[in-house]
């Protein structure tokens, strides 16, 4: 394992998209380690509420800005150098792909270049949140990092897939040509508290429907698969990569692969809901199957997901139950 340092007290970390679902958990973990954290967010899909409990933490600053317009250099939090920059900002739900296509393209491209420039200037480690969507509708299963993917470059999902693929290319170009210290994590389907009940992704949608007693809307036949990862496992994997000298890309997620039909049935049962599972139209280019090959994460980072789907879903349902009353 090549964990060579530990970001902690005395380190200043910039987290883009820090008020979002995954990034807010990452912010908490970095603060718990003693890091000073600056989160920047324009709240396009995230919410101040996700980090409201950190408002009195002296080592935490939340800056409102759209990083696709450049870094908010006027803000005092940006006057000092950063030791690490975690580029987590991007709308990530398939419903966002239709609502925010240009915003997604800009945050993966223009914003990534701004952040890489800053990382080089500061001598900071730069970590890019990439995605399993980089593999598109994969023809290799499970997906290894060596697989180049099967992406429709002009389809509705392309704004997200190609934006992340561009961000990966930019990250590697800055590494090779400008000496940037970089890491790329390819994140597989992650879920947990702070997802939005209306964000359109399968897990929050199914849970909200089950808790409201509404029909569960499985797309197509529900035979398509995903491998679901509880957010705490993902955050642990990201921090292992951050602390290492690895460039990646490294897959992060779990091997808990299941069909969307089974996922829907499990959620109905865990919620004790009377909801019926129904079948509706499936979106174009929706990947048929997805499971990470975790060999690289295990070998390079000693990463092992720990939380079972039952436990993770149980915790997530508890969060939604409280939120939805
Ligand atoms: P999220 O939408 O909850 O978080 C993204 C955050 O980025 C939001 O708070 C949003 O307001 C912010 N943001 C977006 N554009 C911005 C901009 N231009 N300037 C400033 N802030 C901006 O989504 P998430 O699921 O937590 O995803 C976080 C990251 O992880 C994303 O980069 C996503 O692509 C990646 N990812 C997530 C998953 C997953 O399953 N959750 C899977 C693969 C990759
Ligand atoms: N899905 C579904 N019903 C919904 C939302 C999603 O059946 O209400 C399906 C979707 O078609 C996809 C899978 O669940 O096959 C995972 O979708 P999600 O948006 O959660 O993640 P992604 O497609 O980005 O992997």
């Amino acid at each position: 394992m090549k964990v060579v340092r530990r970001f902690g007290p005395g380190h200043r970390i910039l987290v883009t998209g820090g008020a979002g679902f995954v990034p807010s958990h990452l912010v908490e973990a970095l603060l718990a380690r003693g890091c000073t954290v600056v989160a920047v967010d324009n709240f396009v899909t995230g919410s101040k509420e996700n980090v409201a409990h950190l408002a009195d933490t002296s080592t935490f600053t939340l800056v409102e800005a759209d990083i696709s317009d450049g870094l908010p250099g006027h803000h005092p939090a940006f006057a000092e150098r950063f030791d690490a920059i975690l580029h987590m900002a991007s709308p990530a739900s398939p419903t966002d792909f239709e609502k925010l296509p240009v915003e997604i393209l800009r945050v993966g491209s223009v914003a990534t270049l701004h952040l890489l420039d800053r990382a080089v200037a500061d001598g900071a480690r730069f970590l890019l949140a990439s995605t399993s969507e980089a593999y598109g509708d994969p023809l290799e299963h499970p997906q290894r990092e060596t697989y180049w993917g099967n992406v429709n470059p002009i389809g509705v999902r392309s704004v997200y897939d190609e934006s992340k693929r561009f961000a990966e290319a930019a990250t590697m170009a800055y590494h090779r040509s400008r000496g940037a210290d970089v890491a790329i994590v390819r994140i597989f389907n992650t879920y947990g508290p702070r997802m939005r009940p209306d964000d359109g992704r399968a897990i929050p949608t199914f849970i909200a429907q089950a808790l409201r007693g509404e029909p569960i809307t499985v797309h197509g036949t529900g035979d398509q698969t995903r491998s679901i990862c509880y957010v705490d496992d993902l955050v642990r994997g990201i921090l292992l990569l951050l602390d290492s000298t690895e460039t990646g890309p490294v897959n992060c997620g779990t091997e808990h692969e299941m069909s969307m039909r089974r996922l829907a049935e499990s959620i109905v049962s865990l919620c004790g809901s009377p909801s019926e599972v129904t079948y509706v139209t499936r979106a174009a280019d929706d990947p048929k199957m997805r499971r990470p090959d975790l060999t690289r994460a295990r070998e390079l980072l000693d990463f092992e997901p720990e939380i079972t789907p039952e436990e993770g879903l149980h915790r997530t349902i508890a969060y939604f139950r409280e939120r939805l009353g």
Side-chain angles (χ1 to χ4, degrees), residues 92-95 97 131-133 157 160-161 188-190 195 199-206 209 216-228 259-261 263-264 278-283 285-290:
S93 156
T95 53
F97 306 167
T131 169
S132 52
E133 289 278 339
R157 297 179 88 94
Y160 184 66
D161 300 9
F188 282 63
N189 295 71
T190 299
M195 290 187 102
D199 93 347
R201 287 184 270 194
I203 292 180
T205 305
F206 293 168
Q209 290 168 337
I216 310 292
T217 53
V218 169
H219 296 172
T221 58
D223 290 318
Q224 67 273 30
T225 67
R226 296 294 186 271
S227 305
I228 64 171
S259 72
M260 291 304 100
R261 186 174 47 239
L263 176 67
T278 63
Y279 296 89
V280 300
T281 310
R282 181 149 164 233
D285 298 331
D286 182 32
K288 285 181 272 308
M289 55 195 171
R290 193 182 283 152

Side-chain angles (χ1 to χ4, degrees), residues 15-25 40-48 50 63-70 87-93 96-97 100 103-104 106-108 111 128-133 160 164 185-192 194-196 199 201 229 231 234 238 252 290:
V15 180
T16 72
F21 154 53
V22 170
S24 64
H25 288 274
V40 58
D41 207 299
N42 65 351
F43 309 119
V44 64
T45 54
S47 151
K48 272 184 197 161
N50 287 337
V63 178
E64 180 168 359
D66 182 337
I67 45 158
S68 299
D69 294 339
H87 186 20
M88 305 298 298
S90 176
S93 156
D96 299 331
F97 306 167
L100 302 164
E103 289 81 351
I104 291 172
R106 282 173 55 75
V107 79
L128 173 71
S130 186
T131 169
S132 52
E133 289 278 339
Y160 184 66
K164 291 288 186 180
V185 57
R186 290 193 182 141
I187 301 171
F188 282 63
N189 295 71
T190 299
Y191 68 99
R194 302 196 191 128
M195 290 187 102
R196 289 171 290 142
D199 93 347
R201 287 184 270 194
C229 179
V231 64
L234 174 71
I238 291 177
C252 199
R290 193 182 283 152

Side-chain angles (χ1 to χ4, degrees), residues 90-232:
S90 176
S93 156
T95 53
D96 299 331
F97 306 167
E98 285 175 46
K99 277 190 266 170
L100 302 164
V102 177
E103 289 81 351
I104 291 172
L105 286 166
R106 282 173 55 75
V107 79
S109 56
V110 182
T112 302
L113 296 177
H114 287 311
L115 292 161
L116 280 162
D117 282 332
R118 177 70 191 240
V120 170
D122 284 6
R125 182 150 170 80
F126 176 86
L127 185 144
L128 173 71
S130 186
T131 169
S132 52
E133 289 278 339
Y135 302 121
D137 189 1
L139 304 176
E140 172 178 305
H141 192 71
Q143 293 82 51
R144 286 174 296 184
E145 291 87 347
T146 47
Y147 178 53
W148 292 351
N150 176 38
V151 174
N152 171 1
I154 55 164
V156 280
R157 297 179 88 94
S158 66
V159 292
Y160 184 66
D161 300 9
E162 298 293 16
S163 156
K164 291 288 186 180
R165 286 163 68 100
F166 175 90
E168 288 200 13
T171 300
M172 291 312 297
Y174 271 69
H175 175 60
R176 282 190 288 258
S177 72
R178 303 197 181 178
D181 172 11
V182 302
I184 298 172
V185 57
R186 290 193 182 141
I187 301 171
F188 282 63
N189 295 71
T190 299
Y191 68 99
R194 302 196 191 128
M195 290 187 102
R196 289 171 290 142
D198 60 348
D199 93 347
R201 287 184 270 194
I203 292 180
T205 305
F206 293 168
I207 294 178
Q209 290 168 337
L211 292 178
R212 291 172 174 142
E214 295 167 0
I216 310 292
T217 53
V218 169
H219 296 172
T221 58
D223 290 318
Q224 67 273 30
T225 67
R226 296 294 186 271
S227 305
I228 64 171
C229 179
Y230 188 69
V231 64
D232 289 4

Side-chain angles (χ1 to χ4, degrees), residues 1 3 6 22 25-26 29-30 33 127 185 190 229-244 252-254 297 301-308:
M1 185 172 60
V3 173
R6 188 178 156 85
V22 170
H25 288 274
L26 204 48
L30 289 164
R33 279 174 165 221
L127 185 144
V185 57
T190 299
C229 179
Y230 188 69
V231 64
D232 289 4
D233 276 332
L234 174 71
V235 165
R236 211 163 32 77
I238 291 177
L239 293 181
L240 284 169
L241 178 60
L242 179 69
D243 285 343
S244 77
C252 199
T254 77
L301 307 175
D302 222 0
F303 172 72
E304 197 60 56
E306 288 168 0
I307 296 164
T308 61

